[in-house]
């Protein structure tokens, strides 16, 4: 499902919302989640899963084409852990 499909489904399920209002709601949710992760907070959606930020340390890697050693700096990456209810729903499908 894409973001635009989610917006369409929200507008369809709730007849009092226009597509534009649905798009605003979806964007607000995603922006709020992104802002929370950027600040280092955990985002938890009960029954679905949780998003956290993990830190990857600096390391050396090898360029496969030239064989040259390349330094990769430390960085932060988003991490998603599925909730129990979501795992069970996917497994039952």
């Amino acid at each position: 499902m894409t973001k635009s499909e989610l917006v369409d489904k929200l507008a369809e399920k709730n007849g009092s919302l226009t597509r534009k209002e649905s798009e605003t709601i979806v964007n607000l949710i995603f922006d709020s989640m992104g802002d929370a992760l950027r600040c280092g907070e955990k985002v938890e959606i009960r029954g679905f899963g949780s998003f956290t930020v993990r830190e990857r340390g600096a390391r050396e890697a090898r360029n496969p084409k030239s064989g040259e050693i390349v330094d990769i700096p430390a960085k932060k990456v988003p991490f998603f852990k599925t909730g129990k209810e979501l795992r069970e729903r996917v497994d039952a499908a």
Side-chain angles (χ1 to χ4, degrees):
M1 175 178 280
T2 63
K3 186 175 172 183
S4 61
E5 290 172 339
L6 180 61
V7 168
D8 291 339
K9 192 164 199 147
L10 179 61
E12 179 184 311
K13 288 266 187 182
N14 192 334
S16 63
L17 290 176
T18 65
R19 189 181 190 294
K20 182 83 171 162
E21 292 170 333
S22 298
E23 186 174 4
T24 302
I25 291 169
V26 170
N27 286 335
L28 178 67
I29 291 170
F30 288 158
D31 290 345
S32 298
M33 290 172 62
D35 291 343
L37 290 172
R38 192 175 305 117
C39 293
E41 298 175 21
K42 179 179 178 180
V43 176
E44 183 178 338
I45 303 170
R46 301 260 178 198
F48 184 74
S50 60
F51 297 88
T52 56
V53 175
R54 290 194 174 175
E55 292 191 32
R56 286 195 179 162
R59 65 192 199 319
E60 288 184 346
R62 189 173 301 274
N63 181 335
K65 187 172 183 179
S66 66
E68 177 184 348
I69 292 181
V70 180
D71 288 326
I72 299 176
K75 61 182 173 180
K76 295 178 181 179
V77 294
F79 178 77
F80 176 72
K81 182 178 179 187
T82 58
K84 181 181 176 185
E85 186 178 322
L86 178 61
R87 279 194 308 268
E88 291 171 352
R89 289 177 69 183
V90 169
D91 190 37

